Amino acid sequence: MTIAYDALIQRRSASAKHLVAPGPETSVLHRILFAASRAPDHGRLHPFRFVIIRPESRVRFADVLAEAARQDRPDLPETEIGRAREKAHQGPCLIGLIARIDTAHPKIPASDQWLTVGCALENLLLATAAEGFAAAVRSGRSLEAPAIREAFALGPNEHFTCFIALGTPSEWPPAKPKPDVAELTSQW
């Protein structure tokens, strides 16, 4: 086995609420994002961008997440609004991943562009682990809410796909069972 293969097999997600300092310093974060930017990219469209959510922006981000949760589900109980707000304060480093999908591109279908975004996310997760940190991905329907779109000045073809908390795990969640590759494979 190679080091790269072992890293792929051993990758796992942390719990954002158990990510503590230290997080990656600026030079390490740059290496992580550099690795993420090397995703396979049919047509070299770069259909993604990153937003570093600075520590001084966390309170504002919490407000935006709360409003997005309300917009997505107006009947959401206040306890759930509070849980949405808490996500902005979990992990010492937060990175937003914004997809830029050109659905009218004459050559590159949207599905190829979304694959590139997913590959960028996986590269980010693998690079984070290679740098000795852990990551937790936060996504969901509320990230398409008007509050998010406005706060991050998203263009019509942009989607706040997820945000990723990076840091040092104080504990790991239990390992999740993985599918048997035979169940996922067929021959034609």
Side-chain angles (χ1 to χ4, degrees):
M1 298 289 172
T2 67
I3 292 171
Y5 184 81
D6 289 345
L8 289 168
I9 299 306
Q10 294 170 10
R11 193 211 69 74
R12 62 189 288 207
S13 295
S15 168
K17 62 185 171 188
H18 293 117
L19 289 176
V20 298
E25 60 185 42
T26 303
S27 63
V28 173
L29 184 57
H30 176 76
R31 284 196 305 270
I32 290 169
L33 295 177
F34 182 77
S37 75
R38 294 305 183 253
D41 183 6
H42 184 197
R44 293 180 298 283
L45 299 178
H46 315 293
F48 57 86
R49 63 184 175 94
F50 305 105
V51 176
I52 298 170
I53 300 169
R54 299 182 316 251
E56 61 270 20
S57 299
R58 298 285 187 108
V59 171
R60 186 168 57 123
F61 187 45
D63 292 341
V64 170
L65 289 176
E67 182 57 27
R70 282 187 194 95
Q71 289 172 345
D72 182 47
R73 290 192 41 211
D75 60 337
L76 200 61
E78 277 304 311
T79 55
E80 293 300 312
I81 300 295
R83 289 179 67 185
R85 183 180 291 284
E86 287 171 9
K87 292 175 183 178
H89 301 287
Q90 295 173 343
C93 178
L94 288 182
I95 305 295
L97 175 59
I98 296 174
R100 300 184 301 201
I101 307 300
D102 180 358
T103 57
H105 194 282
K107 183 177 176 187
I108 314 300
S111 59
D112 282 9
Q113 296 171 56
W114 278 112
L115 286 170
T116 295
V117 174
C119 288
L121 175 59
E122 182 69 358
N123 281 4
L124 186 149
L125 297 175
L126 290 168
T128 296
E131 291 289 352
F133 296 99
V137 178
R138 295 303 185 91
S139 61
R141 198 174 66 187
S142 66
L143 295 181
E144 284 287 342
I148 296 283
R149 299 194 65 74
E150 182 180 323
F152 289 91
L154 299 182
N157 67 331
E158 292 187 313
H159 307 271
F160 196 103
T161 306
C162 63
F163 60 100
I164 308 101
L166 309 176
T168 301
S170 62
E171 67 179 76
W172 286 95
K176 294 179 182 175
K178 301 299 181 193
D180 180 348
V181 71
E183 295 174 11
L184 305 174
T185 307
S186 64
Q187 295 188 33
W188 187 70

